């Protein structure tokens, strides 16, 4: 017996489908995810709740992909009737032209007669005719014909001419288990102290933080890589400021795992999947389960007793037990399975994006015409500048964010292919002869679905009014950023727009953040369930600021620390707030690299561990030891423009311009030697030779600085020299921008005592 199949031979009375097979019927079920070599086909796991299974996807961007192959063992030679579970993915829209997702099934290198992926808008078992199996050991392949996202879930062979496999899409239903030879009893896995479901930034923060606090963690992720939206599969750069406020060490773990992408989408290498996995595997208290999809829970007295997850390649089931669980799935899947109270916004929701990238090749590139895609011309979409289609290629605003998820992703496919067809074959063809589509995410980046209700539901009013809660812990620095369809691009498809606009509300402190309360991080009615990420207890509007990845990662860090308190004191997540809040705050003040082997152990730093250097962004003048004069206090002539784009910066903004002057006046508190430091911002459009004079007790010093280069004194200052100053005497730093070769950057002057 191979791992692909279960042979049923002379089994009387066993009902495999609606029709009872003959007494001598033989059968073989081959799940495509279990193929020996996926090769060019991608394993898609994001719609299991909708259609019941992972499947293989031929995502070739219009170029047929390499065959997926496997070798199986049939129960005996004979004539087998074949069924292939697939769909025509554009049929739901009655799209014109030939179906795009066409593929063949090869048995011992010979194609079955039908072409698959050409029928039915829903997943179904497409008949494949019959095949003669001469030897039990047989090679099977999926042969892509188009490169346009053909999909195959499973292939079923039976010698019974009257049998048809059941259409039910229940996850790992009894029929599939019987066919695959899976035990009805799962493999018991654990017990752990904490089971974390979801391996994005929130799950990574929770797992690493909890492990370093001395508890045993299972981290379950249904993809082969970690990072979620911040992985190479989706390529959203990580946003949200960390390491600030009352708990400046919260966010240090996020800094360890975070990408340094320069674009969104960036390159594969920038998202550092391997680094994330390496950090997790270096934690002795974490057991990592990649390619495992959680789909079921056991409950005991309203608590979660266990989570079931199956291997998305072999379908083998594990049962994970622990006293505590954290839902980091984004969709709130574990909370919903446990019947926790949750909300889904009843209105225009933020959608899901599938970003994409292209390049200019050295020679002309062809692209097939796509009549089945959205019928677009160049004016129907924003031009993909800098060779990438960004976050605003987004749809699903009026769709069910769970049950319509595959349709939302596929609509995004149709939009991108329609845009690329316009660029290559329609009114953009002349300018894009050498253009080549290089990447498009087949894993979508969703923003909004379930939000699990906690003891506190954070609102937009709380944030704008800066309402203080005693358990405020995670700084949210993103604005209240909600997405809506962009009217400019709704003309052709008003019922299902595919381009969004972000509306940023005022009221969030973008420098230091609003502290999200701990009570948003656990369920109010499932006593042992934490949550971290976009499924926490907030309103739709508040989600606009809490949902970005680095902020979600910090939620995970706090949850991991809270879980260790629960284990240490035998308490619930709610009890941490009511009885152990000060202990949680003490843990939150520890550096992220600090660890203990168990919850009763001593804290230590492992040899070789180091805190990532702090990336300054907004710098408070009060945090700098000495006299600081901000640019808002300088006397200026000429025209200066406020800016915040070049970070770090002192206080709220800096100014830049040319043709004017700026004078910073200051006094020192006592006589002595002081170093004068000037805040500069490096950019190619800044001046390369800026004259600056410094008055001091012995005269005036004249300096010149190059603002195309960064300062060498943290966070971003350059030294103008050390001088003697007397107290109660006014001095000044004068910047002359009247005759320069670029914009002059003024932010602050810092006078620091050197004795």
């Amino acid at each position: 017996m191979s791992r692909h199949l279960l042979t049923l031979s002379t089994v009387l009375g066993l009902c495999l489908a609606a029709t009872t097979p003959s007494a001598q019927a033989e059968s073989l079920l081959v799940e495509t995810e279990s193929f020996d070599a996926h090769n060019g086909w991608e394993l898609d796991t994001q719609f299991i709740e909708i259609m019941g299974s992972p499947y293989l996807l031929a995502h070739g961007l219009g170029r047929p992909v390499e065959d997926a192959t496997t070798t199986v063992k049939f129960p005996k030679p004979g004539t087998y009737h074949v069924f292939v579970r697939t769909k025509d993915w554009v049929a739901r829209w009655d799209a014109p032209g030939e179906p795009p997702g066409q593929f063949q099934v090869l048995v011992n290198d010979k194609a079955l007669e039908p072409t698959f992926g050409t029928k039915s808008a829903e997943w179904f078992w497409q008949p494949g005719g019959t095949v003669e199996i001469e030897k039990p050991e047989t090679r099977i392949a999926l042969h892509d014909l188009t490169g346009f996202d053909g999909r195959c879930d499973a292939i079923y062979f039976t010698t019974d001419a009257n049998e048809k496999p059941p259409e039910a899409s229940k996850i790992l239903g009894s029929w599939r288990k019987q066919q695959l030879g899976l035990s009805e009893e799962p493999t018991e896995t654990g017990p752990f102290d904490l089971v974390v479901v979801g391996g994005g930034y929130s799950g990574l923060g929770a797992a690493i933080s909890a492990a370093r606090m001395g508890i045993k963690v299972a981290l379950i992720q249904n993809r082969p890589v970690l990072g979620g939206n911040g992985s190479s599969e989706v390529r959203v750069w990580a946003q949200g400021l960390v390491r600030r406020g009352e708990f400046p060490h919260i966010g240090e773990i996020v800094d360890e795992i975070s990408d340094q992408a320069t674009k969104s989408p960036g390159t594969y290498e920038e998202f550092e999947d391997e680094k994330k996995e390496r950090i997790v595997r270096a934690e002795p208290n974490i057991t990592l389960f990649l390619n495992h999809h959680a789909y079921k829970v056991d409950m005991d007295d309203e608590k979660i007793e266990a989570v079931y997850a199956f291997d998305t390649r072999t379908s083998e089931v594990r049962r994970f037990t622990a006293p505590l669980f954290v839902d980091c799935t984004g969709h709130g899947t574990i909370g919903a399975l446990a019947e926790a109270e949750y909300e889904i916004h009843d209105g225009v929701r933020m959608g899901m994006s599938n970003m994409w990238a292209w390049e200019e090749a050295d020679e002309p590139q062809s692209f097939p015409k796509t009549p089945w895609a959205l019928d677009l011309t160049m004016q129907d979409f924003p031009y993909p500048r800098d060779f990438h289609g960004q976050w605003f290629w987004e749809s699903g605003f009026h769709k069910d964010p769970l049950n319509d998820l595959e349709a939302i992703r596929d609509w995004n496919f149709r939009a991108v292919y329609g845009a690329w067809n316009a660029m290559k074959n329609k009114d953009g063809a002349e300018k894009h002869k050498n253009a080549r589509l290089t990447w498009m995410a087949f894993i979508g980046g969703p923003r909004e679905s379930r939000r699990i209700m906690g003891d506190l539901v954070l609102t937009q009013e709380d944030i704008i009014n800066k309402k203080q809660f005693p358990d405020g812990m995670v700084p949210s620095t993103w604005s209240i950023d909600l997405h809506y369809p962009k009217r400019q691009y709704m003309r052709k498809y008003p019922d299902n727009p595919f381009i969004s606009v972000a509306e940023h509300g005022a009221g969030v402190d973008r420098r230091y953040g609003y502290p999200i309360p701990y009570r948003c991080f656990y369920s109010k009615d499932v006593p042992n369930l934490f949550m971290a990420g976009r499924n926490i207890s907030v309103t739709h509007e508040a989600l606009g600021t809490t949902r970005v990845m680095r902020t979600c990662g910090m939620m995970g860090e706090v949850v991991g620390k809270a879980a260790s308190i629960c284990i240490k004191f035998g308490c619930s997540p709610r009890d941490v707030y009511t009885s152990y809040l000060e202990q949680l705050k003490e843990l939150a003040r520890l550096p992220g690299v600090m660890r203990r082997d168990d919850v009763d152990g001593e804290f230590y730093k492992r040899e070789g561990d180091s805190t990532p250097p702090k990336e300054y962004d907004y710098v408070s003048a009060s945090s700098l030891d000495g006299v600081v004069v901000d640019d808002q206090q300088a006397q200026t002539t000429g025209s200066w423009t406020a800016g915040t784009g070049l970070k770090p910066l002192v206080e709220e903004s800096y100014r830049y311009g040319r043709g004017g002057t700026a004078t910073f006046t200051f006094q020192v508190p006592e006589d002595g030697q002081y170093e004068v430091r000037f805040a500069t911002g490096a950019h190619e459009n800044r001046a390369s030779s800026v004259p600056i004079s410094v008055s001091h007790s012995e005269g005036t010093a004249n300096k010149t600085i190059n603002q195309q280069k960064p300062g060498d004194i943290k966070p971003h200052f350059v030294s103008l020299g050390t001088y003697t100053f007397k107290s109660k005497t006014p001095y000044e730093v004068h910047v002359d921008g009247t005759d320069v070769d670029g914009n002059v950057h003024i932010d602050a002057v810092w006078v620091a005592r050197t004795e």
Side-chain angles (χ1 to χ4, degrees):
M1 185 188 304
S2 82
R3 64 189 175 94
H4 305 287
L5 57 99
L6 172 67
T7 301
L8 297 181
S9 179
T10 322
V11 181
L12 298 176
L14 178 62
C15 180
L16 297 180
T19 303
T20 302
S22 63
Q24 299 299 320
E26 303 284 2
S27 61
L28 170 69
L29 175 66
V30 183
E31 295 275 16
T32 60
E33 59 265 26
S34 70
F35 268 39
D36 297 329
H38 294 175
N39 295 324
W41 292 67
E42 303 282 0
L43 177 60
D44 198 335
T45 60
Q46 59 194 318
F47 312 120
I48 292 172
E49 275 77 23
I50 300 172
M51 51 77 64
S53 175
Y55 61 81
L56 291 190
L57 179 77
H59 189 56
L61 307 180
R63 297 181 290 272
V65 304
E66 183 183 358
D67 290 359
T69 62
T70 196
T71 299
V72 299
K73 188 173 183 180
F74 279 81
K76 69 178 184 180
T79 301
Y80 285 80
H81 300 265
V82 186
F83 297 88
V84 177
R85 192 165 190 250
T86 183
K87 69 188 296 186
D88 172 1
W89 67 269
V90 299
R92 71 170 72 236
W93 298 290
D94 294 322
E98 289 292 315
Q102 299 181 40
F103 65 96
Q104 295 173 318
V105 174
L106 310 183
V107 180
N108 281 335
D109 299 321
K110 182 179 179 181
L112 299 180
E113 184 176 345
T115 296
F116 297 97
T118 60
K119 301 179 184 298
S120 179
E122 302 297 330
W123 284 93
F124 84 121
W125 290 99
Q126 182 175 344
T130 60
V131 62
E132 291 295 327
I133 300 299
E134 298 176 355
K135 296 180 180 180
E137 195 115 327
T138 301
R139 185 177 184 270
I140 299 176
L142 301 180
H143 180 66
D144 178 30
L145 296 174
T146 68
F148 284 122
D149 302 290
R151 54 204 68 181
C152 184
D153 168 22
I155 308 167
Y156 184 60
F157 300 85
T158 178
T159 59
D160 186 346
N162 297 316
E163 183 189 3
K164 183 180 178 182
E167 295 290 355
S169 60
K170 183 179 179 181
I171 299 171
L172 282 181
S174 59
W175 180 82
R176 288 206 189 210
K177 284 184 179 180
Q178 291 169 350
Q179 290 291 326
L180 295 171
L182 295 175
S183 170
E184 287 295 326
E185 297 300 321
T187 300
E188 292 291 336
T189 309
F192 296 94
D193 296 315
L194 177 70
V195 173
V196 180
V197 184
Y201 269 60
S202 56
L204 288 169
I208 296 169
S209 173
R212 291 180 183 176
M213 292 296 99
I215 64 177
K216 302 296 183 182
V217 179
L219 175 56
I220 302 171
Q221 165 72 331
N222 69 357
R223 299 299 306 157
V225 298
L226 296 165
N229 285 344
S231 71
S232 66
E233 295 187 320
V234 187
R235 303 190 190 179
V236 179
W237 56 7
Q239 295 294 313
L241 304 180
V242 300
R243 301 169 68 173
R244 62 203 56 240
E246 185 180 354
F247 307 101
H249 290 296
I250 295 296
E252 289 178 349
I253 291 174
V254 171
D255 268 348
E256 289 183 48
I257 63 173
S258 186
D259 67 76
Q260 302 299 322
T262 57
K263 289 183 179 180
S264 183
T267 64
Y268 169 87
E269 293 78 12
E270 285 180 305
F271 286 89
E272 300 182 289
D273 298 336
E274 295 82 4
K275 179 185 77 172
K276 295 179 178 70
E277 183 174 342
R278 184 175 64 252
I279 291 171
V280 167
R281 292 196 184 277
E283 295 295 335
N285 281 336
I286 298 179
T287 306
L288 176 62
F289 297 89
L290 294 174
N291 296 299
H292 279 71
H293 182 81
Y295 69 101
K296 175 183 172 182
V297 301
D298 281 341
M299 302 295 292
D300 181 21
D301 192 25
E302 298 185 342
K303 292 182 179 180
I304 301 174
E305 181 180 48
V307 162
Y308 293 74
F310 71 91
D311 189 315
T312 57
R313 302 153 301 179
T314 67
S315 297
E316 295 174 7
V317 178
R318 293 180 180 271
R319 182 177 184 267
F320 296 84
T321 55
L324 298 167
F325 298 82
V326 53
D327 188 331
C328 299
T329 63
H331 289 309
T333 303
I334 304 305
L337 290 170
E339 299 186 352
E341 182 180 336
Y342 65 83
E343 290 183 356
I344 297 177
H345 180 59
D346 185 15
V348 179
R349 287 177 290 271
M350 291 180 282
M352 181 171 76
S353 296
N354 290 83
M355 298 190 295
W356 54 287
W358 62 286
E359 67 180 7
E360 286 284 354
D362 295 331
E363 56 188 14
Q365 303 289 313
S366 63
F367 186 75
K369 292 183 179 180
T370 57
W372 44 265
L374 300 193
D375 183 15
L376 303 178
T377 62
M378 296 298 291
Q379 67 178 359
D380 295 326
F381 57 90
Y383 186 76
R385 302 187 185 280
D386 296 327
F387 302 102
H388 61 300
Q390 300 178 51
W391 56 268
F392 46 74
W393 289 80
E394 174 183 0
S395 72
F397 307 100
H398 305 92
K399 306 300 180 183
D400 187 316
L402 299 166
N403 296 320
D404 290 338
L405 207 58
E406 187 177 20
I408 294 170
R409 193 278 306 273
D410 289 347
W411 184 262
N412 288 345
F413 279 178
R414 292 185 72 207
V416 175
Y417 288 133
W420 194 246
N421 186 54
M423 293 173 66
K424 293 295 295 181
N425 300 319
K426 296 168 76 172
D427 52 335
E430 187 62 30
K431 294 182 179 180
H432 298 94
K433 291 181 179 179
N434 290 16
R436 177 167 56 200
L437 192 60
T438 58
W439 175 82
M440 177 167 54
F442 73 92
I443 301 292
R447 292 177 178 83
E448 181 174 13
S449 50
R450 298 185 188 96
R451 291 168 282 106
I452 302 170
M453 297 295 99
D455 279 349
L456 188 149
V457 181
L458 189 68
T459 70
Q460 180 179 16
E461 291 73 24
D462 294 335
I463 297 166
I464 292 175
N465 295 329
K466 296 179 172 57
K467 185 174 180 179
Q468 295 301 302
F469 295 100
D471 52 336
M473 299 193 72
V474 172
S476 182
T477 58
W478 201 248
S479 64
I480 295 177
D481 170 13
L482 300 174
H483 292 195
Y484 301 93
K486 192 166 187 176
R487 298 189 64 83
Q488 177 183 353
Y489 300 112
M490 292 177 61
R491 180 174 58 86
K492 283 191 175 178
Y493 299 97
D495 295 332
N496 200 353
F498 61 92
I499 298 294
S500 70
V501 62
E503 294 189 4
H504 292 265
V508 176
D509 187 334
R510 296 295 301 271
R511 297 171 299 165
Y512 307 115
Y514 176 83
I516 306 168
Y518 165 74
R519 281 171 290 169
C520 297
F521 304 152
Y522 61 85
S523 167
K524 71 184 185 70
D525 47 17
V526 178
N528 63 337
L529 177 63
F530 288 104
M531 55 270 190
R534 62 183 177 85
N535 55 3
I536 65 167
S537 182
V538 295
T539 63
H540 161 73
E541 293 78 13
L543 179 64
T545 178
T546 62
R547 63 184 173 80
V548 293
M549 286 185 293
R550 285 164 67 84
T551 303
C552 291
M554 289 190 289
M555 298 175 197
E557 290 186 38
V558 170
V559 163
K561 294 176 186 297
S564 74
I565 291 175
C566 293
I567 296 301
K568 182 178 179 67
F569 296 105
C571 68
S572 70
R574 176 179 287 118
D575 294 334
V576 173
Y577 172 71
T578 59
S579 302
Y580 299 100
L581 185 57
E582 289 307 311
Q583 286 90 332
L584 177 59
K585 291 182 177 181
E586 288 177 13
L587 295 182
R589 294 187 178 98
L590 292 173
V593 295
M594 296 300 290
R595 63 178 63 242
R596 58 189 175 188
D597 296 328
D598 57 67
V599 293
D600 296 314
E602 296 294 324
F603 283 105
Y604 65 94
K605 186 170 76 171
R606 190 170 56 183
E607 184 177 355
D609 284 349
S610 61
T611 299
K614 182 175 175 65
E615 294 296 328
Y616 292 89
D617 29 63
Y618 293 94
V619 180
S620 168
S622 62
S623 69
L624 303 175
D625 188 18
V627 177
V628 179
V629 185
D630 187 48
D631 68 281
Q632 297 298 318
Q633 299 166 288
Q635 299 296 314
T636 60
T637 65
S639 177
W640 297 86
T641 300
T644 59
L646 295 183
K647 298 196 173 53
L649 57 94
V650 175
E651 294 296 333
E652 296 186 359
S653 63
Y654 53 77
R655 285 185 283 176
Y656 61 95
R658 60 195 302 178
T661 65
T663 302
F664 296 78
T665 302
F666 65 91
Q667 296 183 36
V668 297
E670 56 185 24
D671 296 356
Q673 292 278 309
Y674 293 82
E675 183 179 27
V676 180
R677 302 165 179 173
F678 185 77
T680 185
H683 195 274
E684 60 186 9
N685 71 9
R686 296 306 194 242
S688 64
S689 183
V690 180
I692 301 179
S693 62
V694 181
S695 66
H696 51 88
S697 63
E698 298 173 358
T700 301
N702 295 310
K703 299 287 182 178
T704 300
I705 66 171
N706 182 356
Q707 293 197 307
Q708 294 180 359
K709 297 182 178 180
D712 55 2
I713 302 174
K714 294 293 185 182
H716 67 307
F717 286 84
V718 61
S719 177
L720 300 179
T722 299
Y723 310 99
T724 301
F725 298 98
K726 296 184 180 297
S727 65
K728 300 181 181 179
T729 303
Y731 299 97
E732 64 182 39
V733 173
H734 182 77
V735 183
D736 186 356
T738 57
D739 185 18
V740 290
D741 61 355
N743 285 322
V744 174
H745 186 106
I746 59 172
D747 189 4
V749 167
W750 176 16
V751 183
R753 184 69 182 263
T754 59
E755 295 177 337

